Amino acid sequence: MQLPREVIVGKGTIECVPEVTQRLGFKKSAMIISGTKSYDIAGKIVRELLEREGMIVDTFLVETATIRDVRALEEKIKVSKPQVVFGVGGGTKIDVAKLGSARQGIQFMSVPTTVSHDGIASPLASVKGFEKPYSIMAQAPIAIIADTDIIMHAPWRSVVSGCGDVIAKITAVKDWKLAREEKNEYYGEYSSSQALMSAKLVIRNAELMRPGNEEGLRVLLEALISCGVSMSIAGSSRPCSGSEHLFSHALDMINCHHAMHGEQCGVGTIMMAYLHKTCWKRIKDALEKLGAPTTACELGVRNEDVIKALQKAATIRPERYTILNKLNLSQEACEKVAKITEVI
Ligand SMILES: [Zn+2]
């Protein structure tokens, strides 16, 4: 079980980077993985702060998260041999930093500039170019430094997406329980409770999630970090990723002009909650309150894409048993689910 040693959330916390880095024993060299925009917003500050302490700092800019980006980073790590790698940015930059550093046996620190999904603290990385469309094991960050002053400036849509990714844990946990009951799969009570609690807290605090409201952002950040930690404890993405995530992955494969990860997972959660015979209307209400998409049209996909994705979802990860495997829905049944829940 790998867990972060330091988690620092709040206004202006980017200033803590040198202190935390030194405390963790990295005093000589570091490498910053960032995007062009996130480098201007935060990467440059991290670099200056570390250089002020006399550290040698290298920078590697990426715009996508593909296996090629990860390999290029690994080559760069082999040459400059940094003691620690920083992922500074949104999901893609952190994912590249996380996987590249893990493959080279170097620790990594997460400095998120957005809150669009739970990858900011999880041990998994979502990188394109592998056979599988879902996240793979990499390593948990040794520290997470989330500066709400910086994250506050991220597009509001990324906050809404982050909320969707947390709310998704309601059905992810139900799928995990189902797999324990029907397939005798290992089930972690603690990690599933932690993921579920995060979802409940985000729903309960939906009215705090307004642009410019730091309190709401904090609730979301803590929920996302808790979800990341729950995956470290479980040793897999099980507590945080079930049938609703499979629906989102399937939608990515069917319609490449897709919406954000958490937005798709949110819509998936509504339908999977219906299939689990649980509070799907409450989930839909919470998403509506947050201004998150709840329909195919709002996701920017066609009705038939949703039906196709529902059917495909059950097939893309056979080892992950979910309600979709249990029910084995026909095309008509998929259409019915989407219609009843008003997704189409
Ligand atoms: Zn997710």
Side-chain angles (χ1 to χ4, degrees):
M1 204 185 285
Q2 280 183 324
L3 295 170
R5 290 216 346 232
E6 303 229 10
V7 179
I8 301 179
V9 178
K11 288 163 92 66
T13 51
I14 200 160
E15 296 290 333
C16 303
V17 163
E19 181 193 323
V20 173
T21 311
Q22 303 258 318
R23 199 155 54 220
L24 292 170
F26 310 116
K27 297 181 175 166
K28 288 186 185 136
S29 57
M31 186 181 286
I32 295 169
I33 319 308
S34 202
T36 328
K37 260 196 243 159
S38 39
Y39 183 74
D40 281 344
I41 297 165
K44 199 161 57 182
I45 305 171
V46 171
R47 182 181 185 125
E48 284 164 8
L49 287 167
L50 294 174
E51 282 178 341
R52 218 180 285 166
E53 298 297 316
M55 288 179 75
I56 298 162
V57 187
D58 244 317
T59 305
F60 183 76
L61 296 183
V62 282
E63 298 305 332
T64 49
T66 66
I67 183 67
R68 278 181 61 193
D69 297 310
V70 173
R71 288 202 182 115
L73 169 62
E74 285 187 74
E75 288 311 310
K76 180 114 181 163
I77 290 175
K78 277 184 205 160
V79 175
S80 41
K81 298 187 174 61
Q83 287 180 309
V84 63
V85 161
F86 284 82
V88 183
T92 49
K93 286 78 191 176
I94 289 177
D95 279 341
V96 172
K98 195 190 287 181
L99 190 56
S101 60
R103 285 161 66 127
Q104 288 302 313
I106 292 171
Q107 296 283 6
F108 115 96
M109 284 166 71
S110 174
V111 184
T113 56
T114 68
V115 282
S116 52
H117 61 73
D118 59 25
I120 57 175
S122 78
L124 290 109
S126 171
V127 169
K128 290 198 176 72
F130 286 105
E131 237 171 83
K132 316 263 163 64
Y134 43 84
S135 305
I136 56 163
M137 253 314 160
Q139 67 174 337
I142 190 166
I144 302 153
I145 298 169
D147 188 330
T148 49
D149 278 340
I150 291 171
I151 297 168
M152 199 87 90
H153 291 101
W156 177 244
R157 197 176 161 197
S158 63
V159 176
V160 170
S161 172
C163 291
D165 199 23
V166 177
I167 290 172
K169 310 324 178 203
I170 292 175
T171 47
V173 164
K174 288 229 174 268
D175 283 321
W176 199 10
K177 268 189 194 150
L178 185 72
R180 172 187 61 178
E181 283 156 20
E182 305 208 345
K183 298 283 159 188
N184 209 15
E185 194 183 302
Y186 161 77
Y187 172 80
E189 185 99 49
Y190 186 87
S191 51
S192 74
S193 305
Q194 196 178 5
L196 187 59
M197 181 183 67
S198 304
K200 286 182 176 167
L201 277 171
V202 164
I203 292 177
R204 202 184 300 157
N205 289 286
E207 68 283 358
L208 287 179
M209 306 293 172
R210 291 187 308 270
N213 186 323
E214 207 231 348
E215 205 185 338
L217 193 59
R218 241 194 125 90
V219 170
L220 174 59
L221 258 167
E222 287 172 0
L224 289 168
I225 294 168
S226 295
C227 290
V229 169
S230 77
M231 287 185 258
S232 287
I233 294 171
S236 79
S237 62
R238 251 307 188 182
C240 295
S241 170
S243 47
E244 73 300 316
H245 270 69
L246 293 174
F247 167 75
S248 172
H249 297 320
L251 205 52
D252 285 342
M253 293 161 91
I254 290 163
N255 187 329
C256 57
H257 303 290
H258 49 77
M260 292 182 82
H261 170 77
E263 294 178 324
Q264 295 183 166
C265 290
V267 173
T269 309
I270 300 173
M271 294 187 285
M272 303 312 156
Y274 170 79
L275 294 176
H276 273 292
K277 297 191 171 61
T278 189
C279 52
W280 68 271
K281 282 188 179 152
R282 253 190 62 215
I283 293 165
K284 189 168 192 271
D285 284 349
L287 290 169
E288 276 170 356
K289 215 185 273 178
L290 290 160
T294 58
T295 64
C297 179
E298 286 167 359
L299 281 179
V301 299
R302 297 172 304 179
N303 288 354
E304 53 262 47
D305 294 339
V306 167
I307 299 166
K308 265 191 224 159
L310 275 172
Q311 274 199 290
K312 196 177 177 66
T315 64
I316 51 180
R317 198 168 183 177
E319 84 287 3
R320 180 144 295 184
Y321 187 80
T322 71
I323 191 73
L324 293 170
N325 303 100
K326 181 183 163 95
L327 300 177
N328 194 18
L329 303 173
S330 64
Q331 192 189 330
E332 292 72 38
C334 289
E335 191 173 344
K336 196 175 146 208
V337 176
K339 280 191 172 150
I340 290 174
T341 53
E342 294 161 3
V343 171
I344 64 171

